[in-house]
Amino acid sequence: MRALDRLSWRARDEEVFVEFYRKSFRAVHSYLERRLADHSGIDDAVAETYLVVWRRRQDIPPTDSESIAWAIGVARYCLANQRRSALRRQRLFIRLRQVAQEPPGMSESGNWEAIVIEEFNRLSDGDREILGLAYWDDLKVDEIAVVLKCTSNAASVRLHRAKRRLKERTEAVASASFCTAEEKVDG
């Protein structure tokens, strides 16, 4: 295909997509709005939906009613992917809490979850990556080694060190928080 043909083909694709977007936006937005409890995520869900639509633009059905229904189906799958991702994040946090080992008395303060998340986010990129691979993606040490392109032994050592650093950080913050709370009670 010559360059000029590719350019005209691409321009035609963009025109078709823009027209489809105009026809389907309200229905897709309404669908997502009804299904998302947190309305702040609607724009992201709409954007993700139309990104998929753009990538699959050759699959758009020819009639308006079919194409709008198809776009709502794409939005449905995007929403399902977001929910699965949120569940994985929840599972990650639950597992990180186990790694960090909540100290006695912290559950009453209600800060433990915030402490674990904050300290996880403060870890180095490498520590967050390996903990995520282990606890979010459910990879075993051998699988982590493949992802990180290192030996299984190196992956095991890195995981152990990352878990230790998270535990040390959360214990230090929890200890400081607990001491501050005691000082307020005593003071």
Side-chain angles (χ1 to χ4, degrees):
M1 184 181 285
R2 292 186 339 225
L4 188 57
D5 291 339
R6 277 195 302 265
L7 288 175
S8 64
W9 176 77
R10 180 172 206 112
R12 200 171 40 254
D13 263 8
E14 288 175 12
E15 288 172 16
V16 169
F17 177 79
V18 168
E19 182 61 28
F20 175 72
Y21 178 84
R22 286 186 188 127
K23 289 178 182 178
S24 63
F25 175 81
R26 188 174 307 220
V28 168
H29 190 275
S30 296
Y31 173 85
L32 291 168
E33 191 173 39
R34 287 189 303 273
R35 282 159 181 77
L36 283 170
D38 179 11
H39 288 257
S40 66
I42 291 174
D43 291 339
D44 288 341
V46 168
E48 183 180 347
T49 298
Y50 282 102
L51 176 63
V52 173
V53 167
W54 172 255
R55 288 179 180 154
R56 295 186 52 205
R57 61 192 176 274
Q58 284 78 20
D59 298 338
I60 297 174
T63 66
D64 285 350
S65 61
E66 287 177 339
S67 63
I68 290 172
W70 179 80
I72 289 172
V74 171
R76 181 174 169 261
Y77 283 110
C78 290
L79 198 55
N81 286 339
Q82 285 183 351
R83 288 183 176 144
R84 279 191 296 275
S85 183
L87 285 173
R88 282 193 304 272
R89 279 191 298 275
Q90 269 184 322
R91 284 196 310 263
L92 170 65
F93 172 71
I94 289 166
R95 288 178 164 177
L96 289 177
R97 283 181 67 175
Q98 293 167 348
V99 169
Q101 297 177 352
E102 181 174 347
M106 275 309 288
S107 42
E108 291 87 39
S109 72
N111 291 341
W112 187 242
E113 181 174 329
I115 289 170
V116 172
I117 291 169
E118 187 173 330
E119 294 309 312
F120 174 78
N121 288 330
R122 288 184 176 172
L123 290 171
S124 70
D125 289 343
D127 284 351
R128 283 195 317 271
E129 177 69 16
I130 198 158
L131 288 170
L133 289 169
Y135 296 108
W136 190 341
D137 298 313
D138 282 328
L139 298 183
K140 294 175 179 45
V141 171
D142 292 345
E143 296 165 325
I144 292 170
V146 171
V147 171
L148 299 179
K149 296 180 180 168
C150 64
T151 65
S152 293
N153 189 44
S156 178
V157 169
R158 289 179 191 175
L159 179 60
H160 173 77
R161 289 177 180 165
K163 287 168 35 176
R164 186 187 72 226
R165 282 190 281 271
L166 177 63
K167 183 178 178 186
E168 288 170 355
R169 292 180 72 104
T170 53
E171 285 175 350
V173 171
S175 175
S177 298
F178 195 70
C179 289
T180 305
E182 284 183 345
E183 289 169 6
K184 288 180 182 177
V185 171
D186 292 338

